[in-house]
Amino acid sequence: MPWVEPEPRPSPEQKPKLTKQDSATGPEWYQKSEESESEGNQPPLGPLASPRPPETPGPPALERDDAPLPEGDDLDHAPLPEEETPEPRAICRHRHRCHTDCLEAPLSRAFQWLGWQVGAHPWIFLLTPLMLTAALGTGFLYLLEEEEEDLEEQYTPVGGPAKAERRFVQGHFTTTDSYRFSASRRSTEANFASLLVVSYSDSLLYPATFAEVSKLDGAVQDLRVAQEDGSQIQYQQVCARYRALCVRPNPLLHAWQVDKTLNLSSISFPIYNHGGHPLYLTGFFGGRILGGSLGMGHLLLRAKALRLLYYLKTEDPEDSVQSKQWLTHFLNQFTNITNTLALKKIEVVHFTSLSRQLEFQATSMTVIPVQKCYPLMKAATTNSDFSLQLCRLDCIRNKMCVAAFGVISAFLAVVSGFGLLLHIGVPFVIIVANSPFLILGVGLDNMFIMISAWHKTRLADDIPERISNVYSKVAVSITITTITNILAFYTGVMSSFRSASFRQQVFLPQPKRK
């Protein structure tokens, strides 16, 4: 093979001037050179290098720093300097590339096709969700029937050890609300109404004060709840009984009502022997001052307050429902009772077994009512989109209407989801009343992403093509973030608390719908 004398290397002080053409064709020259060397041929000269006459074979000339530089036009066609010329390396033509878009590319094509269909047939994709939401929204007819009010059932673990221990106690210490009620033997909270009476004076152990307390007790027991069929629920129907009589709200008050001549200044505490029958006063009097020993206890000198406890039936489901109706009526009429009696010697406060549930339901209405929050969020979202579109005064490129429909779309999703769950029998728990705002926040993020991608499309393209471009660019990322949200919520759904667990609400036995 003939020897070719290499081009002299220019010194660092005199770098040749490179032209745009040389820098553009440099890599191509090296590629051709490598191909020719792999085939065993002499590498061709650069496309712009001047041809050289053949030289006699001989040893290659030594490279010197003081080699003469080309002059004139040869300077423009000189090879690239060594520090800017990449070293030749072998290129593997059969190297297999690793494709990392094996999931993204098919999804992008699928969503691109879907976007084209949405743009080509807008009315189908507009009316179908509306009809589906209208059909599923009929599940709200069962909202009142499926509303769950048992705090213990919803906010305690389903398989907790406390419930197993309570079942053990119930199996060995039995009691019945309709014949042998005993508050000390109950392992669960019964339906009850409690009145705390506080005297304005230093003590209420006076006949005049007991007279006002007796009037209050009579007014409470006279309450009647009118039913839709014309019947009434009286206290005697729903009260817990010991043998044939309702459990007395206060044993000492009942003894005084039977015998008005009872000397209230000679009461022994905590056990008072009245006519050969012991009366247990523990838990019924507060702010007490005791004296010396008297009978089975100590003399009760003063008592600032007393409590009236009205126990109601709980065990039978039908009796429990009537008891709650009577309690609700009691709460509604309590203010009217106290105003009508015009009590002058005592002050009365009340508490019932429904008070915690009612307070829990009222927490969502303390600051802003729930029904007003959604329009407020819609207005805030529309204003946010308006602030992003201030520089786009063109009514064609301004997408405030799209932002409004994005909020409406999230609202339709909430209605459809709640309606479907109510149709399949999932009870409504008050804590899920805040979930629409969570769904709204997740949905609005995706809406802003799609609007941003829409503004990057070409105005000259038609609507189906622009929508397909938007879907192909953002639908994959939105799908992935949606999947991560589903997985995150799934961890809470599988909780052992019924209020947050879809599994416990659907697959465990539920009361049959009437």
Side-chain angles (χ1 to χ4, degrees):
M1 179 184 296
W3 291 91
V4 179
E5 183 180 359
E7 291 290 332
R9 182 183 304 173
S11 62
E13 293 80 11
Q14 298 180 353
K15 293 183 179 180
K17 182 175 68 174
L18 300 179
T19 62
K20 184 176 181 181
Q21 187 175 5
D22 291 334
S23 61
T25 58
E28 180 181 358
W29 182 87
Y30 276 106
Q31 183 177 3
K32 293 181 180 180
S33 174
E34 290 165 354
E35 293 178 358
S36 61
E37 288 179 359
S38 62
E39 296 175 1
N41 299 327
Q42 181 180 358
L45 298 177
L48 298 180
S50 58
R52 294 177 177 271
E55 298 181 359
T56 57
L62 298 177
E63 296 181 356
R64 301 193 307 270
D65 295 338
D66 56 348
L69 297 176
E71 299 179 357
D73 295 338
D74 293 337
L75 184 62
D76 297 334
H77 303 289
L80 296 175
E82 182 179 359
E83 60 271 18
E84 298 184 7
T85 303
E87 292 293 335
R89 61 180 182 271
I91 298 179
C92 180
R93 298 181 178 180
H94 304 287
R95 183 178 62 182
H96 297 283
R97 298 181 60 185
C98 180
H99 297 279
T100 59
D101 59 348
C102 56
L103 180 62
E104 180 180 1
L107 285 177
S108 180
R109 289 193 296 268
F111 282 114
Q112 185 177 10
W113 175 85
L114 178 61
W116 184 275
Q117 297 297 326
V118 172
H121 310 284
W123 287 107
I124 296 178
F125 291 91
L126 179 62
L127 297 179
T128 301
L130 292 177
M131 291 187 294
L132 182 61
T133 301
L136 295 178
T138 56
F140 281 88
L141 298 175
Y142 305 107
L143 179 61
L144 297 179
E145 297 181 12
E146 299 295 347
E147 187 173 0
E148 183 60 49
E149 299 180 355
D150 192 347
L151 292 179
E152 179 185 349
E153 188 69 19
Q154 294 296 324
Y155 300 99
T156 57
V158 175
K163 294 184 178 180
E165 295 172 358
R166 183 173 61 189
R167 288 191 294 267
F168 176 82
V169 173
Q170 289 175 345
H172 293 80
F173 298 90
T174 59
T175 180
T176 56
D177 293 342
S178 58
Y179 183 74
R180 195 178 294 276
F181 176 82
S182 175
S184 60
R185 295 173 67 93
R186 289 197 61 86
S187 56
T188 58
E189 188 180 58
N191 294 330
F192 69 92
S194 176
L195 297 180
L196 183 61
V197 179
V198 181
S199 175
Y200 289 126
S201 61
D202 58 348
S203 177
L204 51 73
L205 297 177
Y206 300 105
T209 306
F210 263 58
E212 283 197 355
V213 176
S214 180
K215 290 170 55 179
L216 176 64
D217 174 61
V220 171
Q221 295 193 29
D222 288 340
L223 287 177
R224 292 176 173 83
V225 183
Q227 298 283 75
E228 294 180 356
D229 56 358
S231 61
Q232 293 182 343
I233 301 177
Q234 302 179 4
Y235 172 75
Q236 287 72 20
Q237 296 177 235
V238 297
C239 67
R241 295 178 176 272
Y242 184 79
R243 297 184 179 178
L245 300 176
C246 293
V247 176
R248 304 304 178 185
N250 188 293
L252 184 60
L253 176 64
H254 175 68
W256 183 86
Q257 289 174 341
V258 174
D259 184 9
K260 298 293 181 65
T261 62
L262 179 65
N263 186 7
L264 297 177
S265 61
S266 61
I267 305 298
S268 61
F269 186 88
I271 300 176
Y272 174 62
N273 191 351
H274 177 66
H277 299 282
L279 302 179
Y280 299 92
L281 305 180
T282 304
F284 288 98
F285 287 90
R288 55 188 179 268
I289 299 178
L290 303 180
S293 298
L294 178 65
M296 302 177 66
H298 294 268
L299 180 64
L300 183 61
L301 299 178
R302 296 178 182 177
K304 182 68 175 178
L306 65 81
R307 185 170 64 168
L308 303 177
L309 276 175
Y310 301 89
Y311 286 106
L312 307 177
K313 296 179 181 179
T314 307
E315 291 180 345
D316 187 72
E318 184 177 356
D319 292 338
S320 180
V321 171
Q322 292 183 353
S323 298
K324 291 180 179 179
Q325 291 178 354
W326 187 90
L327 284 176
T328 304
H329 183 67
F330 164 78
L331 293 173
N332 295 333
Q333 297 296 323
F334 179 77
T335 304
N336 296 334
I337 292 175
T338 55
N339 293 336
T340 303
L341 296 177
L343 303 174
K344 299 180 180 180
K345 296 182 178 298
I346 57 176
E347 181 183 4
V348 186
V349 294
H350 66 283
F351 181 79
T352 68
S353 56
L354 295 180
S355 298
R356 283 190 297 268
Q357 174 68 31
L358 297 177
E359 290 294 331
F360 188 81
Q361 294 177 353
T363 53
S364 60
M365 308 294 293
T366 54
V367 181
I368 301 177
V370 174
Q371 61 269 21
K372 296 181 181 179
C373 288
Y374 202 90
L376 182 61
M377 291 291 293
K378 179 179 178 181
T381 304
T382 306
N383 291 334
S384 299
D385 182 70
F386 178 73
S387 62
L388 294 175
Q389 311 290 341
L390 285 178
C391 59
R392 298 183 177 94
L393 300 179
D394 187 0
C395 60
I396 298 178
R397 303 201 66 186
N398 195 310
K399 299 303 175 186
M400 290 185 59
C401 294
V402 177
F405 276 97
V407 180
I408 295 175
S409 177
F411 173 76
L412 296 179
V414 172
V415 174
S416 301
F418 274 64
L420 176 62
L421 294 178
L422 290 172
H423 267 300
I424 63 180
V426 178
F428 178 80
V429 186
I430 190 61
I431 193 174
V432 302
N434 297 325
S435 60
F437 306 105
L438 182 62
I439 299 173
L440 181 64
V442 175
L444 292 186
D445 292 340
N446 299 333
M447 179 197 68
F448 285 119
I449 294 174
M450 298 189 71
I451 291 178
S452 177
W454 174 268
H455 286 306
K456 296 178 182 179
T457 57
R458 298 177 66 252
L459 295 176
D461 296 338
D462 55 0
I463 298 298
E465 185 174 355
R466 296 182 69 182
I467 295 181
S468 64
N469 291 335
V470 171
Y471 272 54
S472 63
K473 292 178 181 178
V474 304
V476 176
S477 60
I478 291 177
T479 302
I480 295 176
T481 55
T482 302
I483 293 175
T484 57
N485 290 334
I486 293 174
L487 294 177
F489 289 125
Y490 182 78
T491 59
V493 166
M494 301 307 293
S495 170
S496 60
F497 294 90
R498 284 184 180 269
S499 59
S501 176
F502 178 80
R503 174 176 60 88
Q504 303 293 342
Q505 298 284 12
V506 176
F507 299 105
L508 291 183
Q510 299 290 338
K512 292 184 179 180
R513 182 180 295 160
K514 296 181 181 180

